């Protein structure tokens, strides 16, 4: 085994603009306990971002869920699509077993990542459809 399964800092989505890009893409899958969003990142590896609000519970519960999600991503990183940011928006729930989080990522991340890589970026500032003002027919 030549490649480490370490969760490097470069594998984390940290910047607001990267989270916003995933939200704007609207590529989403429901995991029950969370929503999984994806957007192409232009890198050679997948990254994980976790969005969790205080409604989920106390700091202890939120941190436990984040640790389990990061561990699931770390263990399954080779199966994650390269060049994709995966954002997990956590809903209020009791922390589950690690296997539950791993299975959810394995089931949904590859297909969602393939969609993110295939679809061109949508620019919300540009109107879609219709004809341009100077378009003569």
């Amino acid at each position: 085994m030549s490649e480490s399964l370490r969760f490097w800092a470069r594998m984390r989505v940290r910047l607001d603009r990267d989270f916003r890009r995933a939200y704007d893409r609207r590529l989403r899958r429901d995991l029950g306990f969370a929503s999984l969003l994806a957007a192409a990142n232009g890198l050679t590896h997948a990254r994980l971002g976790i969005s969790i609000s205080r409604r989920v519970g106390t700091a202890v519960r939120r941190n436990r869920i984040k640790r389990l999600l990061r561990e699931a991503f770390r263990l399954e990183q080779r199966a994650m699509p390269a060049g994709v940011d995966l954002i997990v928006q956590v809903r209020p729930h009791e922390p589950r077993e690690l296997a539950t989080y791993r299975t959810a990522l394995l089931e949904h991340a590859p297909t969602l990542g393939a969609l993110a890589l295939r679809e061109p970026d949508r620019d919300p500032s540009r109107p879609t459809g219709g004809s341009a003002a100077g378009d003569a027919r």
Side-chain angles (χ1 to χ4, degrees), residues 16 18-19 30 35 39 46 54-55 57 68 71 80 83 87 106 110 119 126 130 132:
D16 184 60
D18 295 332
F19 278 93
D30 182 23
S35 290
R54 290 186 190 150
R55 290 183 310 159
L68 288 166
E71 180 68 2
M80 296 298 114
I87 308 295
L106 279 175
E119 288 186 13
R126 289 179 31 202

Side-chain angles (χ1 to χ4, degrees), residues 11 26 44 82 87 106 109:
M11 299 172 116
R26 294 187 180 103
T44 60
I87 308 295
L106 279 175

Side-chain angles (χ1 to χ4, degrees), residues 65-131:
I65 292 169
K66 288 191 289 186
R67 282 193 304 271
L68 288 166
L69 286 167
R70 282 193 300 265
E71 180 68 2
F73 181 84
R74 184 188 74 81
L75 293 171
E76 302 301 340
Q77 63 185 289
R78 291 188 182 127
M80 296 298 114
V84 174
D85 286 343
L86 298 169
I87 308 295
V88 181
Q89 277 186 311
V90 180
R91 295 188 188 110
H93 71 281
E94 290 291 324
R96 311 254 168 106
E97 295 288 325
L98 176 61
T100 304
Y101 296 117
R102 287 178 74 176
T103 301
L105 283 178
L106 279 175
E107 285 179 7
H108 298 284
T111 55
L112 196 58
L115 283 172
L117 293 171
R118 188 173 58 213
E119 288 186 13
D121 282 336
R122 298 179 195 140
D123 185 358
S125 64
R126 289 179 31 202
T128 57
S131 62

Side-chain angles (χ1 to χ4, degrees), residues 13 15-26 37 39 87 124:
V13 178
L15 298 177
D16 184 60
R17 69 174 180 241
D18 295 332
F19 278 93
R20 188 67 40 213
R21 184 181 50 215
Y23 297 144
D24 291 343
R25 287 296 307 272
R26 294 187 180 103
L37 295 94
I87 308 295

